[in-house]
Amino acid sequence: MAKINWKPGNMIYPLPAALISCGSSPEEYNLITVSWMGTICSDPPMCYISVRPGRHSHEIIKRNGEFVINLTTKAMAEVTDWCGVKSGRDHDKFKESGLTPLPGTIVKCPIIAESPISIECKVVEIKELGSHDMFIANVVNMVADDRFIDPQTGAMSLESAGLMAYSHGNYYEMGKKIGKFGWSVMKEKTRKRLKSEK
Ligand SMILES: Cc1cc2nc3c(=O)[nH]c(=O)nc-3n(C[C@H](O)[C@H](O)[C@H](O)COP(=O)(O)O)c2cc1C
């Protein structure tokens, strides 16, 4: 087997293909599909999205200093792609996609009713990196669909949400669970019990 050097590029996959909602009033509301995004700090909870300066959403997010990361599912795959190839300059993306805007709790941007999790963010810094500007943000609220909250424990379970992932130009539905955090170092007894519970 041989290893091949490849020219520098981005090959960190899979990633989410999230729908970012922005705008502070219905006339301004917009949606943009983003994959260049991630968590950057647990406490305080912080994340980033990277957006090209030419995008209609870039201007809106910069002006308002707010956006919402809405996780996407298999059922939302087609509209997620559509929002990633059409611009809000020419389309009312909420209206034309059929996605439902609901008011955010802390931010003025809408959240998407169809999304299982919406993460409300306030921008703290914009880093101009080259092709993309990185919007570094504090997470100020999370809205979860109660379908994914266990009524007994109150814990969130995203396993049944059908979250989608983006990898090298393609969309995927999340697959089979193969382990859990810390599982590699669990006592044999606990491991066996978890296996038998499956
Ligand atoms: C799967 C996918 C991921 C994308 N990721 C990004 C991204 O991370 N940053 C970005 O600026 N554009 C990204 N785009 C492109 C924008 O979503 C696209 O240019 C969109 O039409 C911009 O909309 P707007 O002009 O209404 O803001 C992505 C598109 C797709 C389909």
Side-chain angles (χ1 to χ4, degrees), residues 16-18 22 30-37 49-60 80-91 93 131-133 164 166 169-171:
C22 56
N30 194 35
L31 292 163
I32 173 175
T33 306
V34 161
S35 283
W36 292 173
M37 59 171 294
I49 57 169
S50 281
V51 180
R52 282 187 187 262
R55 311 281 193 233
H56 184 55
S57 309
H58 183 284
E59 191 192 310
I60 299 174
T80 302
D81 184 65
W82 186 81
C83 289
V85 292
K86 297 286 178 188
S87 178
R89 286 195 188 94
D90 314 310
H91 295 269
K93 292 200 208 174
S131 62
H132 290 64
D133 286 356
M164 72 180 251
Y166 177 69
N170 299 301
Y171 304 111

Side-chain angles (χ1 to χ4, degrees), residues 132-145:
H132 290 64
D133 286 356
M134 182 186 195
F135 290 85
I136 299 178
N138 284 325
V139 173
V140 293
N141 190 46
M142 284 220 309
V143 185
D145 198 308

